[in-house]
Amino acid sequence: MKFLSVIFLCVLALAYAKDCPNIDSCYCTHVILPANVDFKAIQDLRQKLTGVKILLTVNEFNQGLVKTVKQNNIDGLELNLKKLDSKNDITEFINTIRTKLGNNLYLALSVPSKTEQLAKYYDLKALTKATDLFILQTAFLGASKNVTFHPSRLSGMWDMQNTDSVVDLMTGLGAPLSRLAITAPVQAFKFTLQDNGMTTPGSPALELVTMTRSELCEKMSNGDNWTLERDQDQAGPYIFREKEWISFEDATSMDIKAKYARVRGLAGIALKDLSQDHESTKCGGSLLAAAHAGLSKQTRAPRGAVLRSLEREILETPARPLDTIHVSPYRISRVIDVEGHVHVIRQDTRTEFECSRQGYFVHPHSCGRFYRCVKFDQQSDEFSVFEFDCPAGLAFDARVEVCVWPGSLPDGAPCSGSSEIAPVPKERFVCPTTPGYYADPENCRWFFACLDHGKSGLTAYEFRCPFGLVYDEHRLLCEWPWLVPSCKSGHLTGLELDSFEFFGGAAKSTLIHGSGATVDIMEPVVKVNCI
């Protein structure tokens, strides 16, 4: 459903994130329309959006407005005050409006994001008693003049021009999180660069103009050589080409902001100028749908699970939205020098390392570095790679998965910078045709559960035996390595078998630990059933 004749703002609330048969009313809990809207259109809207609160946005208040609201079956008002006098005047004004409206009508207050205005004019603790919802205007946070910026950055420790800092200020001034909604823009913002060699946020710019969502989509789909990059928290996407630099919102940034709202316990998210939004795949689909999905997925998930999902989304590099868009391999970071100046730098996220298993692996060209391969989605073939450096003078030992003195490596081998301690398996594991549990042919500490989900081929799920044990696929348990003849690989067990002899079914073994200490062990002390 499109409302091309009016510009309206839609507020999404967590309490309304649920499945409903009418997808239009399911997306929005509040629709805020201009005060001069055709009242017949409001009645048509009322029939289509069941259960949605319809509000009028006004800059000033008069007695006739109350009559208009009640006669036209409008649920309440959103106050967007333009004239600010003092804290006491604003508080008295809001209390008067609440008295005139009564307790049955809804009252939302649009709150500026400028820190000096918030502290000087808004007694948020007192206003909470008369206001149902605070709509924080984070759709255009602004920045210093004549530089590029994203209008609705989510976070940052270097200034107050980001949503998270303003939310913290609001709560510090007395506003409850449960009555606070943040806003995001649907339109885009185009900058003309002074120097096309300077393209990071904060680069010198000549002018700033707004773009409709349709104009952005056309630019992204019709032109080549666009580079997509994201600010440090991944919630501030922008594209650039030659002297054009455009910041905007997309499905990824909206999903991150929706998860942020859930983690912080906010009332929800508001989208500004929603009439520009549409389902076009040219620039990533509907922002409203993306925001709703971020609020409604895993609605019963604990806060920690949502937080981990948010962290993964911030760390992962999003896929390319269009063939005309090149995704930058760099991650934006900010460095503050000793004089307090903020510098925006790019860090290369590319890696020479390719994962085929989960776990910790030594760098192929330097044993003083290592990688961790993580598969967040077992049904996907994609891995996330995290790179680490050992402390100076140490080397990574994949047998014990820690950094050690180079002399502790097998045969006391020095860290030459080119040898691999435990080579990464070169081939991805492919399940056979029969469901079951199978040892990893290249690393017997790992094993796979091959399950039939009714799709083409079996799905492999990775598991790892506890430290020092390997998987016995005949007995379906993790066992000491010398009791699993099929395990030909001795690495990654943490122990080396020197010799053993059997005494009435019990194995007496002399084991040499990585530190060089020896210990006699009879028959396995511990068996771990892995299924």
Side-chain angles (χ1 to χ4, degrees):
M1 179 172 56
K2 306 299 178 188
F3 297 92
L4 301 180
S5 59
V6 296
I7 296 177
F8 66 97
L9 181 147
C10 177
V11 179
L12 299 177
L14 302 184
Y16 207 82
K18 59 183 181 181
D19 294 328
C20 358
N22 185 349
I23 194 166
D24 290 323
S25 63
C26 193
Y27 278 173
C28 296
T29 56
H30 303 65
V31 172
I32 303 176
L33 302 170
N36 59 354
V37 67
D38 182 4
F39 292 110
K40 184 179 182 302
I42 293 180
Q43 301 311 317
D44 294 338
L45 184 62
R46 171 73 66 194
Q47 295 177 359
K48 294 176 181 178
L49 299 182
T50 306
V52 174
K53 291 186 181 297
I54 298 178
L55 311 179
L56 292 184
T57 182
V58 295
N59 303 127
E60 54 186 22
F61 184 83
N62 57 68
Q63 187 61 38
L65 189 58
V66 176
K67 183 178 179 181
T68 301
V69 167
K70 294 181 177 180
Q71 286 182 345
N72 291 278
N73 196 24
I74 298 172
D75 295 297
L77 299 174
E78 185 233 14
L79 294 176
N80 190 355
L81 303 177
K82 298 300 183 182
K83 184 179 179 181
L84 304 176
D85 295 318
S86 67
K87 277 187 178 182
N88 291 336
D89 289 341
I90 292 177
T91 303
E92 290 176 5
F93 180 63
I94 299 299
N95 287 334
T96 300
I97 294 177
R98 168 53 71 194
T99 302
K100 299 289 185 182
L101 290 177
N103 293 325
N104 294 328
L105 293 178
Y106 199 87
L107 182 58
L109 179 61
S110 178
V111 181
S113 58
K114 294 185 180 298
T115 56
E116 61 275 13
Q117 290 185 1
L118 280 175
K120 184 176 181 180
Y121 295 111
Y122 289 85
D123 185 349
L124 296 174
K125 187 176 294 186
L127 291 172
T128 300
K129 299 176 182 179
T131 306
D132 296 295
L133 180 69
F134 294 108
I135 301 176
L136 185 56
Q137 296 302 318
T138 54
F140 190 84
L141 292 164
S144 301
K145 293 182 178 179
N146 304 322
V147 297
T148 58
F149 61 89
H150 194 279
S152 56
R153 288 189 296 117
L154 180 60
S155 62
M157 299 177 61
W158 48 91
D159 59 26
M160 287 292 294
Q161 293 171 330
N162 62 83
T163 299
D164 187 51
S165 294
V166 181
V167 168
D168 285 342
L169 178 60
M170 288 283 292
T171 57
L173 293 174
L177 288 170
S178 59
R179 293 198 196 179
L180 181 60
I182 58 176
T183 57
V186 176
Q187 62 185 351
F189 299 84
K190 176 186 171 184
F191 298 81
T192 301
L193 297 172
Q194 289 187 22
D195 181 356
N196 57 9
M198 301 178 67
T199 55
T200 59
S203 298
L206 297 174
E207 64 175 346
L208 166 63
V209 296
T210 59
M211 298 175 62
T212 66
R213 187 79 176 163
S214 297
E215 291 172 339
L216 170 67
C217 295
E218 288 300 319
K219 266 195 173 293
M220 292 179 69
S221 59
N222 293 337
D224 293 328
N225 301 320
W226 285 108
T227 298
L228 171 65
E229 205 163 61
R230 295 177 182 275
D231 213 332
Q232 195 165 4
D233 58 8
Q234 298 284 30
Y238 55 90
I239 56 174
F240 56 88
R241 180 187 64 180
E242 297 178 352
K243 289 202 170 184
E244 291 183 288
W245 198 97
I246 305 173
S247 56
F248 58 96
E249 298 285 355
D250 64 2
T252 298
S253 66
M254 289 307 306
D255 188 56
I256 290 175
K257 288 174 180 175
K259 288 188 173 78
Y260 168 83
R262 292 179 61 186
V263 170
R264 292 297 306 264
L266 304 182
I269 299 178
L271 287 181
K272 195 84 171 181
D273 298 342
L274 195 63
S275 58
Q276 297 183 18
D277 192 32
H278 52 75
E279 298 286 347
S280 172
T281 57
K282 291 182 179 180
C283 48
S286 167
L287 296 181
L288 178 60
H292 176 266
L295 291 176
S296 59
K297 282 182 179 178
Q298 299 177 313
T299 52
R300 296 187 178 181
R303 182 179 182 272
V306 180
L307 180 59
R308 287 190 292 272
S309 175
L310 176 59
E311 290 173 342
R312 288 198 300 268
E313 197 159 358
I314 290 175
L315 290 173
E316 290 175 351
T317 302
R320 182 172 63 175
L322 294 169
D323 292 336
T324 56
I325 302 295
H326 164 69
V327 177
S328 170
Y330 300 100
R331 187 180 299 279
I332 295 296
S333 297
R334 285 171 171 79
V335 176
I336 304 177
D337 62 23
V338 293
E339 296 180 353
H341 300 137
V342 178
H343 304 275
V344 180
I345 62 173
R346 287 189 170 102
Q347 293 181 326
D348 198 338
T349 60
R350 291 171 292 189
T351 176
E352 304 172 81
F353 194 86
E354 293 185 4
C355 295
S356 61
R357 302 288 192 279
Q358 295 192 90
Y360 294 86
F361 303 97
V362 71
H363 192 287
H365 300 300
S366 173
C367 51
R369 310 182 76 182
F370 62 98
Y371 286 89
R372 183 186 182 189
C373 297
V374 181
K375 183 185 285 189
F376 289 114
D377 183 357
Q378 287 275 17
Q379 298 188 20
S380 170
D381 291 333
E382 299 297 323
F383 288 86
S384 293
V385 184
F386 302 91
E387 183 178 348
F388 303 92
D389 288 304
C390 286
L394 301 186
F396 183 70
D397 189 341
R399 299 171 304 164
V400 290
E401 297 181 346
V402 296
C403 295
V404 300
W405 293 110
S408 299
L409 298 178
D411 302 322
C415 181
S416 63
S418 60
S419 62
E420 293 190 23
I421 300 171
V424 181
K426 302 302 180 184
E427 302 292 332
R428 289 181 182 270
F429 180 82
V430 178
C431 286
T433 56
T434 305
Y437 296 85
Y438 300 92
D440 186 337
E442 297 189 48
N443 186 339
C444 46
R445 185 179 174 187
W446 287 83
F447 63 98
F448 294 85
C450 294
L451 305 181
D452 185 359
H453 294 303
K455 302 177 182 178
S456 176
L458 301 180
T459 302
Y461 296 89
E462 293 183 67
F463 298 92
R464 184 172 64 169
C465 287
F467 176 73
L469 304 183
V470 298
Y471 185 68
D472 186 340
E473 66 178 29
H474 299 292
R475 292 190 291 162
L476 303 180
L477 50 79
C478 293
E479 183 61 279
W480 292 114
W482 59 88
L483 296 178
V484 185
S486 60
C487 179
K488 303 299 183 183
S489 171
H491 63 263
L492 291 182
T493 63
L495 298 169
E496 296 178 8
L497 181 63
D498 180 65
S499 63
F500 66 90
E501 52 185 278
F502 291 94
F503 297 92
K508 178 181 179 181
S509 308
T510 301
L511 304 176
I512 303 176
H513 193 268
S515 64
T518 61
V519 61
D520 290 337
I521 294 182
M522 302 296 293
E523 184 62 16
V525 181
V526 140
K527 289 187 180 180
V528 179
N529 195 326
C530 299
I531 55 175

